[in-house]
C-alpha cells in the first residue's frame, strides 16, 4: 500500500486512470500521468515508476504484477476508482493549502495581492490565488474546487471513511 499524503506518496497513473489526475493533485499527491508524458509501452511505465520511486496505479493486471509497487483498480468509473484508492489507504481530502498544479503537477506558489492576475483569475485580494511555477496556470478555490470536494466527500461517506481526516498522527 502506498504512503498517505503524510508520507512521500508519489503516484504514476497509466492512461486507463487519467480521470484521477486532478483529484489526486488537488489532494497534494505528486501525481505523474502517463498521457502527459506520452508513455504507452508497459516497459516505459515500469521504468518511470522505478526511476522516480512512484506507485503505479493501473487497471492492467499484468502490468500491476510486474511493478515494484502498484495499485490495481477494477473499475472504469472515476468515482469507483476513487473509492478503491480510499480503501487502499490514500487520504482523499482536499489540501488546505494546495501545493501541486492540477494541470502539470508543478509546484504552486501563493499570488500576492499586489501582483496582477490573468483575466480569467479572480483578484488575489478577493480569494486566495496560487500560480504554478512551471506552467504559469493560476488556481483558486472556485466552483471546480467545490465539485471535487463534494465528490471526495461522497466517496468517503459511501466507503465508510471518516468525513475529515487529520494530517497529524
Amino acid at each position: 500500500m502506498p504512503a498517505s499524503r503524510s508520507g512521500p506518496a508519489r503516484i504514476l497513473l497509466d492512461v486507463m486512470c487519467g480521470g484521477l489526475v486532478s483529484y489526486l493533485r488537488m489532494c497534494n499527491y505528486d501525481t505523474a500521468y502517463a498521457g502527459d508524458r506520452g508513455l504507452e509501452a508497459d516497459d516505459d511505465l515500469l521504468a518511470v515508476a522505478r526511476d522516480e520511486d512512484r506507485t503505479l496505479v493501473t487497471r492492467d493486471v499484468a502490468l500491476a504484477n510486474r511493478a515494484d509497487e502498484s495499485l490495481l483498480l477494477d473499475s472504469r468509473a472515476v468515482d469507483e476508482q476513487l473509492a478503491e484508492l480510499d480503501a487502499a489507504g490514500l487520504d482523499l481530502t482536499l489540501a488546505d493549502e494546495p501545493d501541486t498544479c492540477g494541470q502539470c503537477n508543478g509546484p504552486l506558489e501563493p499570488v500576492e495581492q499586489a501582483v496582477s492576475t490573468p483575466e480569467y483569475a479572480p483578484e488575489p485580494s478577493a480569494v486566495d490565488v496560487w500560480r504554478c511555477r512551471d506552467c504559469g496556470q493560476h488556481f483558486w478555490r472556485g466552483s471546480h474546487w467545490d465539485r471535487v470536494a463534494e465528490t471526495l466527500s461522497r466517496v468517503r461517506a459511501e466507503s465508510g471513511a471518516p468525513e475529515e481526516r487529520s494530517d497529524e498522527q
Side-chain angles (χ1 to χ4, degrees):
M1 177 172 71
S4 67
R5 184 174 47 207
S6 61
R10 295 170 47 89
I11 297 169
L12 173 60
L13 296 174
D14 80 1
V15 293
M16 291 183 276
C17 301
L20 298 171
V21 174
S22 62
Y23 288 96
L24 293 175
R25 289 178 180 168
M26 289 175 73
C27 292
N28 276 352
Y29 285 103
D30 179 346
T31 306
Y33 174 49
D36 290 343
R37 296 187 179 192
L39 301 172
E40 293 182 26
D42 287 359
D43 288 341
D44 293 340
L45 284 165
L46 293 168
V48 168
R50 183 187 60 250
D51 294 347
E52 296 181 14
D53 193 27
R54 293 184 181 275
T55 298
L56 178 64
V57 177
T58 184
R59 292 185 53 249
D60 183 329
V61 174
L63 179 60
N65 288 335
R66 291 179 57 203
D68 293 336
E69 190 170 348
S70 66
L71 280 173
L72 179 63
L73 303 181
D74 292 322
S75 181
R76 292 177 186 228
V78 172
D79 284 12
E80 292 172 13
Q81 290 178 341
L82 288 167
E84 290 179 79
L85 292 176
D86 184 67
L90 268 87
D91 180 358
L92 297 179
T93 304
L94 286 176
D96 291 332
E97 290 291 322
D99 62 13
T100 305
C101 176
Q103 186 69 33
C104 76
N105 202 43
L108 297 180
E109 62 187 1
V111 174
E112 302 300 324
Q113 290 185 8
V115 176
S116 65
T117 58
E119 287 184 22
Y120 67 84
E123 288 300 317
S125 61
V127 296
D128 292 331
V129 178
W130 296 268
R131 185 185 72 78
C132 177
R133 289 186 212 152
D134 290 349
C135 73
Q137 182 78 24
H138 285 73
F139 296 90
W140 62 94
R141 290 184 194 104
S143 60
H144 177 64
W145 185 275
D146 295 340
R147 285 190 303 275
V148 168
E150 288 172 13
T151 298
L152 294 175
S153 178
R154 184 179 66 253
V155 165
R156 288 191 311 271
E158 290 172 1
S159 71
E163 256 327 279
E164 302 258 342
R165 293 184 181 168
S166 171
D167 286 341
E168 298 174 6
Q169 293 190 6

